[in-house]
Amino acid sequence: VQDLYEPGSTFKPINLAVALQEKAIKANGRVADTGQLSIGGWPIFNHDKRANGLIDFPTVLQVSSNVGMVKAMAQVKRDRFWHWLHTLGIDSTPDTDLPGAQAGQLKTLEVFRTQPIEPATAAFGQGFNLTPLKLLQLHAMLSNGGKLVSPHITRGLRSGDDLAAVPPSTGLQLIRPEIAQTVLNWMETVVEKGSGKGTYIPGHRIGGKTGTAQKAENGVYIPGARITSFVA
């Protein structure tokens, strides 16, 4: 609820949903993963520094390709990419009944627009931060058919033996349902044959995404310090 961190690769499915919604990429499209590239003089590598060649988007998630993500999200205009991160609520406090919920931190639109490294790192979930609750809300959006629903832990307040009526589940339709389903299908392949194989349970359909992000302190990344996470 309170601790902010950079989500890293667990944010990749959210970004791909945005790129599909913007019609910047096609569901059957491919990207050339060269293993590394340079953006504004900054080098960007895959976590294993390996080039994966011409790959589709399910494979981008399976091997967690940073280069593939940078190339995919480069098709989204910078203004639009920032607008989406803002609309998804990265920099606003989640509407929840849990006390002390914190807003994440997002660079300004001006920085995003003028410094090419910002949208590039945001493509693989770095350079902004959020709480685990916020990340869960965004993944639930994919499960909810593209509808952003406020995370709550209480159904209602009890008065004597009666429970207050459950408020109607409104939710904000941000991503088209068919796009949300496409990304969920891609996440399922991560568990079947990608980096999330450890969570495969026979007889169950599970979609997930692994993530490793650098730990920052006072605006600088700490050498060798990592936060690893998994969302399913």
Side-chain angles (χ1 to χ4, degrees), residues 106-214:
L106 183 62
K107 304 275 169 62
T108 64
L109 173 58
E110 186 59 26
V111 167
F112 219 77
R113 193 186 275 148
T114 56
Q115 298 185 22
I117 190 62
E118 292 301 335
T121 55
F124 51 90
Q126 294 207 190
F128 64 91
N129 58 36
L130 40 63
T131 60
L133 177 71
K134 184 69 204 179
L135 186 70
L136 281 176
Q137 184 197 22
L138 295 176
H139 276 274
M141 174 184 72
L142 298 177
S143 304
N144 290 327
K147 204 175 268 194
L148 192 70
V149 177
S150 298
H152 292 290
I153 57 164
T154 56
R155 200 179 76 193
L157 299 173
R158 194 175 286 284
S159 170
D161 290 334
D162 295 325
L163 192 65
V166 181
S169 176
T170 47
L172 190 62
Q173 191 76 45
L174 291 179
I175 301 288
R176 291 201 303 281
E178 65 273 19
I179 288 173
Q181 188 57 54
T182 294
V183 178
L184 281 181
N185 293 345
W186 293 351
M187 290 174 72
E188 200 174 343
T189 71
V190 174
V191 174
E192 282 170 0
K193 53 189 174 187
S195 58
K197 283 199 287 257
T199 52
Y200 177 73
I201 301 172
H204 294 270
R205 295 180 63 191
I206 298 171
K209 184 70 196 82
T210 50
T212 307
Q214 292 167 280

